[in-house]
């Protein structure tokens, strides 16, 4: 089927071997309809990313892109806070032929972006929850932030 399959991944979970088995398999079967959207926010439940594994020679999102390329994928690194970059990355995906390379879009983000009380202390909010007041505050901040970001591409 020549339709796109989008897979959402986090940089922390990219340290799991089962993901790399799937990445290698997709490339070996020329599954160019697969697009991996990787949220690279440098935080996992256990530690900061790059603390456990350094990606490629460069480390960080660019190093992770090197690893995807080494496994036979197309890879691009974008600023995940800029809708114009997200829009461009999605609009310029290669045609699906089922004979090419899958694509990874590695998005540099800040955990809790748009909610200052979260982005200032991202590890504190990685796991856990909100009380009702913080939930309402977060929802309002996210709504405002999203409306501003969407203006970039309208």
């Amino acid at each position: 089927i020549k339709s796109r399959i989008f897979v959402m991944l986090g940089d922390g979970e990219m340290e799991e071997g089962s993901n790399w088995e799937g990445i290698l398999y997709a490339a070996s079967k020329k599954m160019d309809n697969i697009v991996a959207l990787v949220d690279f926010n440098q935080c996992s439940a256990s530690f900061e990313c790059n603390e456990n594994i350094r990606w490629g020679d460069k480390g960080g999102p660019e190093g992770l892109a090197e690893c995807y390329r080494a496994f036979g994928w197309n890879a691009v690194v974008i600023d995940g806070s800029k809708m114009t970059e997200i829009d461009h990355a999605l609009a310029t995906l290669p045609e699906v032929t089922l004979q090419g390379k899958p694509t990874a879009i590695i998005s540099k983000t800040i955990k809790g972006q748009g909610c200052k009380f979260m982005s200032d202390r991202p590890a504190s909010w990685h796991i856990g929850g909100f009380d009702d007041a913080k939930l309402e505050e977060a929802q309002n901040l996210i709504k405002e932030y999203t409306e501003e970001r969407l203006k970039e591409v309208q």
Side-chain angles (χ1 to χ4, degrees):
I1 298 175
K2 289 189 177 183
S3 59
R4 295 233 185 257
I5 299 169
F6 291 90
V7 181
M8 294 289 301
L9 299 161
D11 52 352
E13 73 184 295
M14 291 308 305
E15 297 183 359
E16 299 174 10
S18 58
N19 286 316
W20 291 99
E21 292 171 7
I23 290 164
L24 182 59
Y25 181 84
S28 73
K29 297 299 180 184
K30 300 184 179 196
M31 300 170 87
D32 62 0
N33 60 330
I34 295 180
V35 179
L37 303 168
V38 183
D39 178 18
F40 201 102
N41 59 31
Q42 301 187 47
C43 192
S44 74
S46 303
F47 44 79
E48 288 186 20
C49 290
N50 276 335
E51 184 178 308
N52 189 35
I53 291 180
R54 178 174 168 84
W55 297 111
D57 291 332
K58 297 178 182 175
E62 289 79 11
L64 182 58
E66 286 178 353
C67 293
Y68 267 99
R69 291 182 197 111
F71 272 66
W73 285 52
N74 297 312
V76 61
V77 177
I78 64 169
D79 181 338
S81 67
K82 295 186 177 177
M83 287 301 296
T84 52
E85 290 192 29
I86 296 168
D87 188 56
H88 178 75
L90 294 172
T92 58
L93 287 169
E95 178 185 354
V96 173
T97 64
L98 301 178
Q99 295 299 314
K101 296 179 179 183
T103 299
I105 300 172
I106 300 162
S107 180
K108 296 183 287 187
T109 62
I110 297 169
K111 185 169 278 304
Q113 193 158 348
C115 292
K116 185 156 177 51
F117 71 89
M118 293 177 69
S119 61
D120 284 350
R121 297 178 51 222
S124 301
W125 297 99
H126 189 78
I127 51 177
F130 298 112
D131 60 23
D132 289 342
K134 278 293 186 200
L135 176 61
E136 185 175 350
E137 180 183 357
Q139 288 173 325
N140 290 332
L141 290 169
I142 291 168
K143 182 179 180 199
E144 291 171 19
Y145 181 82
T146 302
E147 288 171 354
E148 287 300 311
R149 295 293 68 77
L150 288 175
K151 288 178 185 175
E152 296 174 19
V153 291
Q154 292 178 343

